[in-house]
Amino acid sequence: MGKFRFRRVTALMAAVMFGWSPADVRAQSIEVRIDDALQNITALVRPERIGYATFWDGNKFVQCRRLPDRQLRCEAAGTTMQPSLKSVLTGDRLNRLAALGWVIDPAFGSYVRTFPAEVPTAAAARHIVRALTEAYAANIDTVEMSTRWVADTPCPPRAGPSQNLAGSVNDMASMRASAVRSCSYVDTKPAAQAVSSSAELIALYGPMVTAEIQRLRINLTRRVWASFSTGIGYVQCMPETTPPAMLCEAQSSESWPALAAVLTPQRIARLHSAGYADPGRTPNYSKIYPLEKFTDAAIASELLTILYDVYNYSGATTLKVTAE
């Protein structure tokens, strides 16, 4: 604790002495925290387990581990496991990532850089901050981090494409159902179809979403629900009986903090314009659709419009439906 506080005070003193901007101070502070995490997975050795340090902003992440020869191997998120990152990893940013020494790993489509054993963790931390901010446009004020020790196997479980931080090594129980346990990943799903308007999105997914809403209406008295996930936010609905209605929710940053970067005041205003109430009754934005006033198709159309207008979903990834 003493060492950490000393390093933070040093950063503040340097800001005063050298005229650093607040952004410089924040960057230095996050470097210290990343350095601490890298030191933690280096110093703490657990039998038959490997320590992983993960640093992320939303779904943009870098994850590092020590190799048997003490080199530090780091992976950064790629578009194979996270197609939504295609809008982030533009040509210029991929060139920047390459200039920083990261190369693609064809096994999972991530980007990898290995630091020699003699490189200080502080130097690796500075490099990780540059990769996150310069190539992934991460916000250093919202970068989160964790350390976790995972069973030492040739192919540890990874978060699957439908999960947060897809592609990262993660053995949490909540991730097991859709974790990738192979030594490589190939997307076998048909390519998603991008659209350029909410009308096109409704034309593409309207019949399917309408059928799901119809199923909920038919099973009005049962505990059923349907969720429509884009990977960057979801909408979900369940029936209510008194009076007959459909309760629908749109995911908020309270249920997933990473959405704070997506749900701008302008986009939240669009939710309000559509009649969605702020979180309170539920952790998400919510609206009740009386079934005497709204057809199944009308509800489906409004849900898809919200996904397009509020969550910036253009069909670049396939809409995932989960239902009960």
Side-chain angles (χ1 to χ4, degrees), residues 5-295:
R5 290 188 62 186
F6 175 77
R7 292 166 74 174
R8 292 199 59 165
V9 170
T10 300
L12 293 174
M13 291 177 61
V16 173
M17 293 173 62
F18 299 108
W20 288 0
S21 69
D24 292 330
V25 176
R26 291 194 300 271
Q28 201 277 345
S29 177
I30 196 67
E31 286 173 11
V32 169
R33 294 173 57 209
I34 291 175
D35 182 15
D36 287 341
L38 295 178
Q39 289 186 39
N40 184 223
I41 63 168
T42 300
L44 184 53
V45 178
R46 293 180 174 172
E48 300 181 351
R49 302 188 80 81
I50 298 294
Y52 289 85
T54 309
F55 317 102
W56 71 93
D57 174 32
N59 273 330
K60 310 163 186 176
F61 72 83
V62 172
Q63 184 177 66
C64 303
R65 58 158 291 185
R66 284 289 180 187
L67 298 175
D69 61 4
R70 309 308 289 164
Q71 292 190 92
L72 184 70
R73 184 181 191 272
C74 297
E75 287 188 45
T79 58
T80 299
M81 300 287 281
Q82 291 193 47
S84 60
L85 284 180
K86 290 179 181 177
S87 61
V88 175
L89 293 174
T90 59
D92 288 343
R93 288 188 178 143
L94 286 175
N95 289 338
R96 186 61 192 146
L97 199 58
L100 290 171
W102 297 74
V103 297
I104 194 163
D105 175 10
F108 292 98
S110 56
Y111 296 88
V112 176
R113 172 155 182 180
T114 301
F115 298 91
E118 63 272 14
V119 171
T121 53
R126 287 193 295 272
H127 188 94
I128 289 168
V129 170
R130 291 190 64 188
L132 284 171
T133 56
E134 296 179 23
Y136 289 86
N139 182 351
I140 60 173
D141 292 331
T142 55
V143 169
E144 300 177 70
M145 60 191 66
S146 70
T147 56
R148 188 175 182 86
W149 280 256
V150 177
D152 185 7
T153 61
C155 305
R158 293 174 180 261
S162 64
Q163 299 171 322
N164 295 343
L165 303 181
S168 64
V169 172
N170 192 323
D171 66 347
M172 293 178 63
S174 59
M175 299 287 193
R176 288 173 186 167
S178 53
V180 174
R181 299 181 178 277
S182 61
C183 292
S184 62
Y185 174 79
V186 177
D187 187 2
T188 58
K189 299 188 300 294
Q193 181 178 340
V195 299
S196 58
S197 68
S198 58
E200 290 183 8
L201 190 65
I202 293 168
L204 180 62
Y205 285 117
M208 178 186 69
V209 176
T210 298
E212 287 291 345
I213 300 299
Q214 181 186 43
R215 178 184 65 84
L216 299 182
R217 177 175 54 80
I218 292 172
N219 293 277
L220 192 67
T221 59
R222 298 179 56 205
R223 295 180 63 85
V224 292
W225 52 270
S227 174
F228 310 97
S229 177
T230 68
I232 51 173
Y234 64 72
V235 292
Q236 60 186 11
C237 298
M238 64 179 293
E240 294 192 332
T241 57
T242 309
M246 205 66 63
L247 169 62
C248 295
E249 299 180 4
Q251 190 176 21
S252 75
S253 58
E254 289 187 20
S255 63
W256 187 26
L259 281 175
V262 175
L263 296 175
T264 62
Q266 293 81 3
R267 288 176 176 169
I268 292 174
R270 293 177 185 175
L271 276 172
H272 292 161
S273 296
Y276 277 72
D278 287 329
R281 175 180 178 177
T282 75
N284 296 317
Y285 299 93
S286 61
K287 177 178 178 177
I288 294 177
Y289 295 85
L291 294 183
E292 64 178 11
K293 295 182 179 180
F294 289 88
T295 65

